[in-house]
């Protein structure tokens, strides 16, 4: 029987699995983070990238690998609140149903600034701005939405616009950085506590990550094609991530646990 890996099909995950071969004891199951979170708890996947918030909330049953993350320091470019009114004036927001972490991050950032907005789960894109003050999008959808507003690809990271065609783009990871000066961890590879990860699988995951990061241009090329966005933009997007859950990332995760009032277990598989 194959060992089942839960994978969000987002461009930011591609450097981890692009060079991982299915078969030979490994099967993939794709889903959005909110689905994968449930599948892991239920047992229909064995090892999955799960939303960091979901992990923290279910830390009595889950344990992550020690050295894998989808994290970043500063802007992430794909966890965006699109809005017309200023941040302080936001009252009714549509939120993605794909993510647990980003929604809790948004809740925290609003609360920290004393902004009293109500959040409503919705599926859709910028058309929701007709009915809401803002729309939270993540992953590929946030990237393609950003690109649809962008007329020129910025030459420098300092030229990435935060407002396009009257729509403001608030990058939640950047807002987190301004507050904490720490990385933000969106997801971790996690198993159930009663089912340790086979070392051979972890070895293959590490090897795939090395190949993915070492050949980022190839990964970016195939993801750019899949999403229909410029390759140069995809490369910049991908080189921005932190995939190793290093000490600064762990400190970021600890600060996030504190921000949302959950304990930080600091307990990883020794593998
Ligand atoms: C930063 C992102 O990372 C993703 C965000 C997740 C979440 O918010 O639950 C889960 C997995 C990550 O791949 C993104 O897709 O925009």
């Amino acid at each position: 029987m194959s060992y089942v890996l839960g994978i969000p099909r987002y461009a930011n995950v591609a450097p981890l699995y692009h060079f991982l071969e299915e078969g030979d004891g490994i099967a993939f199951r794709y889903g959005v983070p909110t689905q994968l979170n449930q599948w892991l708890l239920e047992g229909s996947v064995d090892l999955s990238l799960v939303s960091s918030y979901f992990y923290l909330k279910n830390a009595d049953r889950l344990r992550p690998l020690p050295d894998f993350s989808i994290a970043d320091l500063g802007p992430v470019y794909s966890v965006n609140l699109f809005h017309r009114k200023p941040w302080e004036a936001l009252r009714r927001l549509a939120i993605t149903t794909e993510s647990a972490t980003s929604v809790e991050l948004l809740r925290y950032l609003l609360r920290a600034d004393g902004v009293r907005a109500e959040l409503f789960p919705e599926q859709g894109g910028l058309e929701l701005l007709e009915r809401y003050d803002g729309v939270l999008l993540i992953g590929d959808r946030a990237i393609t939405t950003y690109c649809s507003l962008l007329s020129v690809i910025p030459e420098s990271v300092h030229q990435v616009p935060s407002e396009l065609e009257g729509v403001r783009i608030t990058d939640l990871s950047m807002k987190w950085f301004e507050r904490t000066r720490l990385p933000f961890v969106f997801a971790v590879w996690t198993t159930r506590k009663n089912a340790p990860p086979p070392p051979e699988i972890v070895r293959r995951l590490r090897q795939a990550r090395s190949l993915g990061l070492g050949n980022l241009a190839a990964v970016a090329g195939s993801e750019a094609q899949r999403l229909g966005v410029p390759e140069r933009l995809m490369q910049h997007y991908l080189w921005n991530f932190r995939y190793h859950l290093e000490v600064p990332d762990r400190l970021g995760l600890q600060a996030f646990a504190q921000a949302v009032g959950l304990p930080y277990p600091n307990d990883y598989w020794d593998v």
Side-chain angles (χ1 to χ4, degrees):
M1 234 181 43
S2 290
Y3 192 79
V4 184
L5 297 183
I7 299 179
R9 211 196 278 270
Y10 290 148
N12 59 61
V13 187
L16 297 181
Y17 75 89
H18 184 92
F19 290 99
L20 192 66
E21 302 268 333
E22 240 187 315
D24 209 6
I26 291 186
F28 293 173
R29 186 158 183 208
Y30 294 103
V32 297
T34 40
Q35 290 173 315
L36 294 168
N37 298 342
Q38 289 308 330
W39 294 341
L40 183 66
L41 273 193
E42 287 163 17
S44 55
V45 301
D46 296 308
L47 171 63
S48 184
L49 267 175
V50 299
S51 306
S52 54
Y53 179 75
F54 185 82
Y55 153 60
L56 290 168
K57 233 186 137 123
N58 295 282
D60 55 331
R61 297 169 65 189
L62 301 175
R63 183 177 289 143
L65 297 186
D67 62 332
F68 281 89
S69 52
I70 305 286
D72 82 304
L73 180 65
V76 63
Y77 305 110
S78 64
V79 179
N80 295 325
L81 187 74
F82 296 87
H83 53 111
R84 289 212 163 84
K85 288 183 189 169
W87 173 258
E88 295 72 27
L90 298 175
R91 294 295 172 267
R92 282 169 46 82
L93 303 175
I95 52 168
T96 173
T97 51
E98 291 181 23
S99 164
T101 295
S102 315
V103 173
E104 288 309 315
L105 175 59
L106 175 62
R107 255 188 238 288
Y108 163 70
L109 292 169
L110 290 166
R111 197 168 56 236
D113 283 340
V115 181
R116 293 168 151 272
E118 268 189 278
L119 311 188
F120 301 88
E122 287 276 4
Q123 279 170 343
L126 285 189
E127 73 286 351
L128 288 165
L129 285 179
E130 285 164 25
R131 293 192 282 128
Y132 291 95
D133 298 336
V135 184
L136 174 68
L137 300 178
I138 72 158
D140 294 348
R141 182 132 211 194
I143 287 286
T144 50
T145 301
Y146 209 140
C147 279
S148 70
L149 295 169
L150 206 59
S151 50
V152 263
I153 306 177
E155 282 294 322
S156 150
V157 291
H158 300 289
Q159 293 163 356
V160 176
S162 57
E163 182 167 346
L164 288 162
E165 298 184 18
V167 179
R168 299 172 206 238
I169 302 163
T170 296
D171 186 313
L172 297 195
S173 181
M174 184 60 194
K175 241 181 152 35
W176 167 262
F177 171 75
E178 285 165 354
R179 252 184 193 279
T180 62
R181 306 288 163 187
L182 286 169
F184 190 82
V185 177
F186 288 95
V188 282
W189 278 113
T190 307
T191 67
R192 289 177 301 286
K193 258 188 184 171
N194 59 8
E200 171 58 16
I201 301 278
V202 178
R203 194 192 61 77
R204 281 168 70 182
L205 281 175
R206 288 185 179 136
Q207 192 181 35
R209 177 181 55 195
S210 284
L211 284 169
L213 296 179
N215 297 278
L216 202 61
V219 179
S222 96
E223 288 303 298
Q225 202 169 30
R226 185 174 68 80
L227 295 184
V229 304
E231 208 167 310
R232 196 149 57 87
L233 196 134
M234 184 54 75
Q235 276 186 22
H236 171 200
Y237 175 58
L238 292 184
W239 81 48
N240 194 42
F241 281 92
R242 302 172 54 84
Y243 291 107
H244 294 80
L245 195 65
E246 290 174 74
V247 170
D249 306 300
R250 290 183 179 198
L251 290 173
L253 185 58
Q254 182 173 16
F256 181 52
Q258 197 172 15
V260 295
L262 289 170
Y264 172 66
N266 197 19
D267 175 30
Y268 300 97
W269 287 113
D270 182 14
V271 63

